[in-house]
Amino acid sequence: MPQEAENPWVRCFTPCPPNAPRLVCFPHVGGAASAYLALSRALAPHVEVLALQYPARQDRRHEPHPGSIPAVADGVAGALRTVLDGRPYAFFGHSMGAVLAFETARRRAAERATGPLRLFASARRAPSVPRTQTVHLRDDAGLLAEIRRLSGTDQQVLQDEELLALALPTIRADYRAVETYRYVPGAPLDCPVTVLAGDQDTETDTPDLVTEWAGLTTADTDLRVFPGGHFYLDARVTEVAAEITARLRTATADRSPV
């Protein structure tokens, strides 16, 4: 049976040995599970990637968008209950995905479920930092201008009017979800947070990133900066994979080798 039939939220592109820890990956605005195909291959066989597929995109395009960050996080948390089997795991979220990873970790804690070994928060200021962007209110031309500015959407999509017509409503709904999200104070996480950022990313203020995220966990917080902009990951997959593998090797040293 195809994996998506068993759990439409999760994709595993590169299965790894059962002793490998897992990395649950949360895509960015407009992104799909396939955004993590390269990272999945770079991490194998040491770390197994479980890439999330949100509704309203690709093979889930006929499903309605959940409408908000809390609603998506609820869906992810529910899906992970049937997927995470006791094997050590971590969360990786890029941009909007970092907020979703944080909110999902909160839900795991509220359920008293085993939490992630580490949260990798990529290209995103802490959820507790207010944001006043209104990209979702722009017309289609304005929305496209923002997409092109960040350079995170496949150029094939940008050049194909039919694909654009299919993608824009979901991209707008994602922007609406993340731009209307409001952090609700609560118990901090108990896992370490590694913040990753591009040194030319205009969406983050690198000197403040660690301080911001440190306020959301009782564990350590650190920062790793890579050359590049908001989507530095596209060109730095190998380096990011090495960073993740090293962190998880340390975290799982007393459980099983990575």
Side-chain angles (χ1 to χ4, degrees):
M1 181 181 293
Q3 182 192 44
E4 53 268 31
E6 298 175 2
N7 191 325
W9 288 85
V10 179
R11 303 287 182 274
C12 182
F13 301 115
T14 315
C16 295
N19 67 328
R22 285 167 156 171
L23 185 71
V24 181
C25 291
F26 295 71
H28 56 278
V29 163
S34 56
Y36 289 111
L37 179 57
L39 183 61
S40 174
R41 290 171 174 167
L43 285 168
H46 306 296
V47 178
E48 182 175 88
V49 166
L50 300 181
L52 293 172
Q53 185 80 313
Y54 312 140
R57 64 209 72 216
Q58 291 187 345
D59 57 306
R60 302 190 72 187
R61 63 187 177 279
H62 298 302
E63 298 179 44
H65 193 286
S68 70
I69 293 296
V72 178
D74 286 344
V76 173
L80 293 182
R81 290 188 203 112
T82 64
V83 174
L84 298 178
D85 55 4
R87 193 188 309 186
Y89 73 94
F91 282 168
F92 182 102
H94 185 84
S95 196
M96 178 184 77
V99 180
L100 281 165
F102 169 75
E103 286 292 345
T104 303
R106 278 182 144 187
R107 283 154 175 74
R108 297 280 296 174
E111 296 170 1
R112 298 186 181 279
T114 302
L117 294 172
R118 182 174 290 270
L119 169 60
F120 295 92
S122 172
R124 180 76 188 192
R125 299 185 70 177
S128 54
V129 177
R131 294 171 67 91
T132 58
Q133 292 176 310
T134 55
V135 175
H136 72 281
L137 296 178
R138 299 181 187 179
D139 59 16
D140 286 354
L143 188 60
L144 279 171
E146 180 67 7
I147 294 169
R148 291 191 171 98
R149 182 181 74 84
L150 294 176
S151 303
T153 300
D154 190 328
Q155 290 301 310
Q156 182 180 357
V157 173
L158 293 177
Q159 295 168 8
D160 188 311
E161 291 186 5
E162 186 174 345
L163 288 176
L164 265 182
L166 292 173
L168 278 179
T170 296
I171 294 172
R172 185 181 300 280
D174 280 356
Y175 268 114
R176 182 183 299 112
V178 75
E179 290 176 346
T180 59
Y181 166 82
R182 296 295 178 267
Y183 167 77
V184 177
L189 303 180
D190 61 5
C191 65
V193 176
T194 292
V195 185
L196 304 101
D199 62 2
Q200 300 173 48
D201 186 359
T202 59
E203 300 299 294
T204 58
D205 188 0
T206 304
D208 297 329
L209 285 174
V210 170
T211 300
E212 293 167 2
W213 278 97
L216 302 180
T217 181
T218 59
D220 294 337
T221 306
D222 60 358
L223 173 67
R224 180 75 165 85
V225 179
F226 297 88
H230 192 60
F231 286 93
Y232 72 88
L233 178 59
D234 291 345
R236 300 290 169 180
V237 170
T238 301
E239 295 97 317
V240 172
E243 182 75 15
I244 292 169
T245 301
R247 300 290 181 151
L248 296 187
R249 177 180 291 116
T250 299
T252 59
D254 60 346
R255 301 188 188 194
S256 60
V258 178

XYZ file of all heavy atoms in Angstrom, residues 7 46 57 67 95 99 125 128 139 153 164 198 246:
95
model
N -0.712 7.124 5.625
C -0.635 8.366 6.383
C -0.341 9.493 5.402
O 0.810 9.687 5.000
C 0.452 8.285 7.454
C 0.382 9.448 8.426
O 0.047 10.564 8.062
N 0.679 9.176 9.682
N 22.389 7.554 7.827
C 22.604 7.852 9.247
C 21.360 8.391 9.945
O 21.155 8.167 11.137
C 23.746 8.848 9.402
C 25.006 8.414 8.725
N 25.705 7.285 9.107
C 25.691 8.943 7.678
C 26.765 7.142 8.334
N 26.780 8.129 7.464
N -1.733 20.712 -1.348
C -0.597 20.794 -2.262
C -0.285 19.406 -2.821
O -0.588 18.390 -2.201
C 0.637 21.382 -1.570
C 1.206 20.551 -0.430
C 1.877 21.438 0.586
N 0.872 22.180 1.324
C 1.021 23.446 1.744
N 2.137 24.103 1.502
N 0.068 24.057 2.405
N -6.076 26.348 7.317
C -6.434 27.721 7.609
C -5.606 28.447 8.635
O -5.607 29.675 8.677
N 11.620 28.232 7.963
C 10.744 29.391 7.855
C 9.399 29.102 8.544
O 9.376 28.853 9.744
C 10.587 29.775 6.379
O 10.066 31.076 6.242
N 8.010 27.461 12.858
C 6.894 27.764 13.765
C 6.040 26.513 13.965
O 5.640 26.191 15.090
C 6.035 28.911 13.205
C 4.873 29.225 14.144
C 6.875 30.161 12.994
N 12.801 33.741 12.831
C 12.884 34.285 14.176
C 11.940 33.495 15.075
O 11.047 32.795 14.610
C 12.518 35.768 14.171
C 13.464 36.602 13.303
C 13.171 38.073 13.388
N 13.533 38.610 14.709
C 13.432 39.894 15.024
N 12.995 40.769 14.131
N 13.770 40.312 16.234
N 7.759 33.731 19.320
C 7.357 34.733 20.300
C 7.603 36.164 19.831
O 7.144 37.118 20.466
C 8.103 34.497 21.620
O 9.507 34.444 21.398
N -2.225 41.591 -4.062
C -2.798 40.951 -5.242
C -1.815 39.902 -5.755
O -0.718 39.733 -5.205
C -3.144 41.978 -6.327
C -1.933 42.785 -6.804
O -0.776 42.369 -6.545
O -2.143 43.820 -7.452
N 10.794 29.340 -4.653
C 9.855 28.540 -5.445
C 10.506 28.079 -6.731
O 11.239 28.839 -7.377
C 8.585 29.365 -5.767
O 7.964 29.749 -4.546
C 7.598 28.552 -6.585
N 1.149 27.950 -11.827
C 0.987 29.094 -10.934
C -0.446 29.229 -10.448
O -0.706 29.498 -9.270
C 1.404 30.383 -11.651
C 2.834 30.871 -11.455
C 3.044 32.172 -12.204
C 3.151 31.057 -9.995
N 20.829 31.899 7.074
C 21.703 32.352 6.007
C 22.251 33.726 6.348
O 21.522 34.577 6.881
N 25.929 15.349 13.100
C 26.817 15.512 14.263
C 26.012 15.752 15.534
O 26.313 15.178 16.593
C 27.782 16.664 14.019
